[in-house]
Amino acid sequence: MQISDFDFDLPRENIALEPARPRDSARLLHVTPGAPLAEAQVRDLPRLLRPGDLLIANDTAVIRAQLAAQRGEAKIGLTLDRILPGGDWHALARNARKLKPQDILTFGDDPVTATIIENEGDGAIRLRFSVESEEFDAFLKRVGALALPPYIDRPFGPTAQDDVDYRTIFSRQKGAVAAPTAGLHFTPELLAALDEAGIQRRTLTLHVGAGTFLPVRGDDIASHKMHAEWGEIDEETAAIINQTRARGGRVVAVGTTSLRLLESAADESGFVRPWRGETAIFIKPGYQFRVVDVLMTNFHLPRSTLFMLVCALAGTETMRAAYAYAIAHHFRFYSYGDACFLERAR
């Protein structure tokens, strides 16, 4: 497969710069392989699901991962990626070529510093900050900024409204660079309606890393390497997933992050065990899904690994047709945009 197989033209006016208000009023394109496309709204989700279905969302919370650092007179732009065992951080850095172990980074007049532990090349570094835990959280609040995707045009940086908008109702566990954007559509009213309809709900944690913004390089997608992301599925959630599948209920992933962790934790039979660790799973056409039956997700970038993932789930031709329809009918794309309800091709 070539990267050109997953390309399409997207008019700039289809890119959403702010979310729908209220959030659950966003449009929802129902895609069932072999059936006509159907339009709905996110607030219609209870009627698209069935009693006994299990809805699983990502409860990661976005941190202010964008930092402006200095090494002497040199300016170094940092995007934190993920925390590593032992307390070091993995990060992507601009102007990283000359960074070397034991270099000290400063952050304006702030007392917190960071020490370079390793320069991995290609802009990836490992570093350790001079504070941890609550002091580190306070540091990010003082000097950090949201690492909004580059297609959300903010000439003067993220706004106070973005601090509110770029956060899901499920947010609990701090550590993500980017929001799991399918979760941005949910409201208290929608959750109440799902409960009333008999839809079970659980959460897992996958901290979305800075690698989510990186393009696929080269023409052959088989050579693309995914960046690792840390995730966790607890024992109770794993048990409920297995019980749901055993009685014929569907596992419905809210977002590609939830789907990727669920598939990482499942064995070949679809049995899910508790999970805690990193995953770098790359789901592309030809992948055999083990546990997820339905995916709710936003509209993704052309040539991206996420568009490849939805093509793997519902079929490449099905998704190309769905995206062409969405563009022609002015659906809103990307993080603040509308959503799809995708049923898996059988």
Side-chain angles (χ1 to χ4, degrees):
M1 289 177 288
Q2 301 296 308
I3 188 65
S4 58
D5 297 333
F6 304 95
D7 200 8
F8 56 88
D9 293 323
L10 181 71
R12 189 170 183 83
E13 57 266 26
N14 283 78
I15 300 174
L17 299 182
E18 61 180 34
R21 306 188 195 283
R23 296 188 182 200
D24 59 6
S25 67
R27 297 166 73 187
L28 185 67
L29 186 63
H30 186 183
V31 181
T32 304
L37 298 168
E39 290 194 35
Q41 290 182 300
V42 170
R43 60 171 56 123
D44 297 318
L45 195 57
R47 71 171 175 80
L48 298 177
L49 297 172
R50 307 166 187 164
D53 283 349
L54 176 61
L55 193 77
I56 301 183
N58 188 355
D59 66 4
T60 189
V62 176
I63 61 173
R64 296 187 175 191
Q66 201 85 54
L67 298 169
Q70 301 85 39
R71 188 202 63 172
E73 297 298 317
K75 295 182 179 180
I76 309 293
L78 294 180
T79 302
L80 300 182
D81 182 26
R82 65 189 187 277
I83 193 168
L84 301 170
D88 292 349
W89 277 86
H90 190 267
L92 301 182
R94 294 185 299 278
N95 294 337
R97 185 170 56 88
K98 295 183 178 180
L99 291 177
K100 58 185 184 298
Q102 303 307 313
D103 280 351
I104 304 296
L105 301 183
T106 58
F107 303 88
D109 296 329
D110 200 274
V112 173
T113 61
T115 302
I116 302 298
I117 305 300
E118 180 183 3
N119 189 333
E120 300 176 358
D122 292 328
I125 62 172
R126 184 161 59 93
L127 69 167
R128 177 177 285 270
F129 289 89
S130 59
V131 293
E132 297 180 345
S133 304
E134 293 177 359
E135 288 182 89
F136 181 72
D137 291 344
F139 160 70
L140 289 186
K141 190 172 183 179
R142 289 193 304 271
V143 306
L146 289 176
L148 285 180
Y151 46 75
I152 296 180
D153 188 16
R154 296 289 186 268
F156 303 105
T159 66
Q161 188 61 49
D162 286 318
D163 281 331
V164 177
D165 289 339
Y166 203 59
R167 177 183 175 87
T168 78
I169 196 171
F170 306 107
S171 296
R172 297 290 184 275
Q173 309 295 335
K174 294 179 183 178
V177 174
T181 54
L184 295 177
H185 298 291
F186 286 78
T187 63
E189 294 78 12
L190 178 55
L191 294 185
L194 289 166
D195 293 343
E196 187 175 348
I199 309 302
Q200 295 186 95
R201 294 190 288 108
R202 296 291 299 180
T203 60
L204 48 68
T205 303
L206 185 73
H207 292 322
V208 189
T212 192
F213 299 133
L214 296 179
V216 177
R217 295 173 178 168
D219 295 325
D220 184 4
I221 67 173
S223 62
H224 179 70
K225 182 180 179 181
M226 298 285 285
H227 279 240
E229 295 169 315
W230 186 91
E232 181 175 16
I233 298 175
D234 64 31
E235 186 172 353
E236 183 178 359
T237 297
I240 291 174
I241 293 167
N242 295 325
Q243 292 163 12
T244 298
R245 297 188 72 248
R247 64 170 179 265
R250 297 182 300 176
V251 176
V252 181
V254 177
T256 57
T257 58
S258 297
L259 181 148
R260 291 179 65 246
L261 187 56
L262 287 166
E263 292 294 322
S264 298
D267 65 18
E268 291 185 0
S269 71
F271 187 85
V272 175
R273 291 181 171 81
W275 173 283
R276 184 181 175 88
E278 292 186 342
T279 178
I281 189 171
F282 183 10
I283 296 176
K284 53 188 180 293
Y287 177 84
Q288 298 298 311
F289 286 84
R290 300 174 175 184
V291 61
V292 173
D293 301 293
V294 179
L295 171 65
M296 179 183 165
T297 185
N298 287 21
F299 291 93
H300 302 295
L301 279 72
R303 305 167 68 93
S304 66
T305 60
L306 298 183
F307 183 59
M308 295 173 198
L309 183 154
V310 298
C311 288
L313 184 82
T316 301
E317 292 308 312
T318 295
M319 292 311 305
R320 290 186 68 87
Y323 271 48
Y325 177 95
I327 292 168
H329 290 80
H330 308 294
F331 277 72
R332 302 163 71 246
F333 274 58
Y334 304 163
S335 296
Y336 280 157
D338 297 315
C340 297
F341 183 86
L342 306 178
E343 301 198 34
R344 191 177 77 190
R346 299 296 176 181

